[in-house]
Amino acid sequence: MKNFVFSLLLLFSVVFIYDSNAQGKKPASNLNERVQQLTDLASKKVVLRFNANKFKDFVKAVPRNYSIVVMFTALAPQRQCMVCKQANDEFAVVANSFRYNMNMAHFNKLFFAMVDFDEGSEVFQMMKLNTAPVFVHFPAKGKPKAADTMDIQRVGFGAEAIARWINERTDIQIRIMRPANYSGTLSLVLLVLFVGVFLYIRRNNLEFLYNKTMWGVWALLFCFAMTSGQMWNHIRGPPFIHRNQQGQTAYIHGNSQGQFVVETYIIMALNAAVAVGIIFMTEAAKGKGESRKRKIQAVIGLVFITIFFSSILSIFRTKTHGYPYSFLFK
């Protein structure tokens, strides 16, 4: 009887120890399976497309020994997200650059994924997101912090900006490799060719090259382009406009550290209107023509300067919070 009881206890002990070991190995086994599945998916498509279930299985699941960068977007045409397509293209550039320049030390350590609103609205609710696009880094350990959400309003969503942000979060450097684009070179060649042909045709009459008005107009256009922020757009790659989840559209960025593309066009037009007003007043002051006509011209110039400079001052005031000065418009 004692031998039977002893054998029974020994059997229960062996079964308990085996079950404990099996449970202890299960998370590691699941982790290995998840990493293998992610690797297989990434080998077919660099940016993985997640719905709610896949997001829970691969992003929210713990433990993790890999980081994953997720772009939350809304690419469906009915969503009217004008910047989502641009952001998606830039995100794909980053993911492809990581694949082609990947260091073996970073193998299976970083993945790229996207969640479309129409395929994962539950995920948007879970993440408390009401706008798109949004880039979030989910670290290998712990939950995302505030800095794990990319501030695209400040730095834009260009591939270079995304790569710098990923480097800050993961210490993984990604050298951006864009597909060859010869459109700029072709445009330059065509422009030079056009100018050359035009000068050849007009070779016997080149007096227009001494036209001060023409050179003045070109100089003004160059100044308008530079002072409106075109170089900032080229470097940062900001969105054209911003449309929130409620369908409201913003044309002017609410912070002095950012701007939209359409905002630069607005500022350019306002600066041009102010310049036109100054030209009107200058021409009126030269004293040529009828006195009444010159007075009307001076008044029109003054109205232009007053209204459009006040508009520029108002925009600057809305972007630079705390700026105390305004004229016609608050």
Side-chain angles (χ1 to χ4, degrees):
M1 185 65 180
K2 291 182 180 180
N3 291 335
F4 177 74
V5 173
F6 177 77
S7 300
L8 191 60
L9 290 173
L10 182 62
L11 179 62
F12 277 125
S13 299
V14 171
V15 171
F16 178 77
I17 293 172
Y18 176 79
D19 185 63
S20 299
N21 290 336
Q23 290 181 359
K25 293 180 180 179
K26 189 174 182 180
S29 177
N30 287 342
L31 175 60
N32 293 334
E33 290 177 2
R34 274 190 281 121
V35 172
Q36 186 59 46
Q37 290 178 13
L38 284 171
T39 304
D40 293 340
L41 292 172
S43 64
K44 300 175 183 177
K45 198 169 185 180
V46 289
V47 178
L48 310 180
R49 200 168 185 126
F50 286 170
N51 54 21
N53 292 331
K54 288 185 177 180
F55 183 82
K56 294 175 183 177
D57 292 341
F58 295 114
V59 180
K60 301 295 288 185
V62 292
R64 289 194 309 270
N65 62 355
Y66 55 87
S67 296
I68 185 165
V69 179
V70 182
M71 177 182 66
F72 298 90
T73 186
L75 295 174
Q78 64 268 22
R79 298 299 171 189
Q80 297 183 348
C81 181
M82 300 180 66
V83 300
C84 288
K85 179 65 171 62
Q86 303 173 28
N88 182 59
D89 294 340
E90 294 297 305
F91 192 58
V93 169
V94 177
N96 280 296
S97 298
F98 173 73
R99 169 189 277 186
Y100 295 134
N101 298 284
M102 182 177 58
N103 190 323
M104 291 307 298
H106 303 145
F107 182 69
N108 293 343
K109 297 299 181 183
L110 178 64
F111 296 96
F112 296 84
M114 63 169 289
V115 176
D116 192 276
F117 180 80
D118 291 287
E119 299 174 1
S121 57
E122 300 175 18
V123 181
F124 274 72
Q125 295 176 3
M126 184 191 311
M127 298 294 298
K128 298 180 181 179
L129 299 176
N130 57 6
T131 186
V134 176
F135 298 91
V136 181
H137 166 249
F138 293 86
K141 295 181 180 179
K143 297 181 179 179
K145 300 179 176 61
D148 285 309
T149 299
M150 185 176 175
D151 187 0
I152 64 173
Q153 302 296 341
R154 183 175 61 87
V155 301
F157 53 75
E160 290 77 10
I162 298 174
R164 284 194 298 269
W165 171 68
I166 292 175
N167 182 28
E168 293 172 359
R169 309 312 306 160
T170 63
D171 290 330
I172 297 177
Q173 293 187 354
I174 302 175
R175 185 167 63 89
I176 297 300
M177 297 180 60
R178 293 184 179 274
N181 185 0
Y182 300 104
S183 59
T185 305
L186 181 61
S187 300
L188 181 60
V189 170
L190 290 176
L191 177 62
V192 172
L193 183 62
F194 173 79
V195 172
V197 171
F198 179 76
L199 291 177
Y200 178 76
I201 295 174
R202 297 290 301 271
R203 63 186 181 277
N204 296 324
N205 185 10
L206 298 178
E207 293 181 1
F208 69 93
L209 292 177
Y210 302 96
N211 190 320
K212 295 180 180 180
T213 302
M214 182 192 70
W215 289 111
V217 170
W218 280 109
L220 280 175
L221 292 175
F222 178 79
C223 291
F224 294 153
M226 293 299 103
T227 57
S228 64
Q230 292 298 324
M231 288 303 299
W232 196 95
N233 291 343
H234 180 72
I235 296 171
R236 298 293 185 90
F240 187 78
I241 60 174
H242 177 69
R243 191 187 300 274
N244 61 20
Q245 197 65 31
Q246 288 73 34
Q248 298 174 335
T249 303
Y251 301 100
I252 305 296
H253 198 286
N255 192 291
S256 61
Q257 301 298 318
Q259 68 181 22
F260 302 130
V261 173
V262 70
E263 180 181 337
T264 63
Y265 299 152
I266 294 173
I267 297 298
M268 186 186 300
L270 293 176
N271 283 330
V274 172
V276 169
I278 293 174
I279 292 172
F280 274 29
M281 294 188 69
T282 303
E283 292 296 322
K286 287 182 177 180
K288 297 180 180 179
E290 299 179 4
S291 175
R292 187 174 178 214
K293 183 178 179 181
R294 287 190 288 109
K295 288 181 180 180
I296 294 174
Q297 192 175 6
V299 170
I300 293 175
L302 181 61
V303 170
F304 267 56
I305 295 173
T306 304
I307 292 178
F308 294 112
F309 181 77
S310 297
S311 301
I312 295 175
L313 196 61
S314 176
I315 293 174
F316 182 78
R317 192 169 185 266
T318 59
K319 293 174 67 68
T320 309
H321 305 288
Y323 186 76
Y325 304 109
S326 63
F327 189 45
L328 294 181
F329 314 113
K330 292 294 184 180

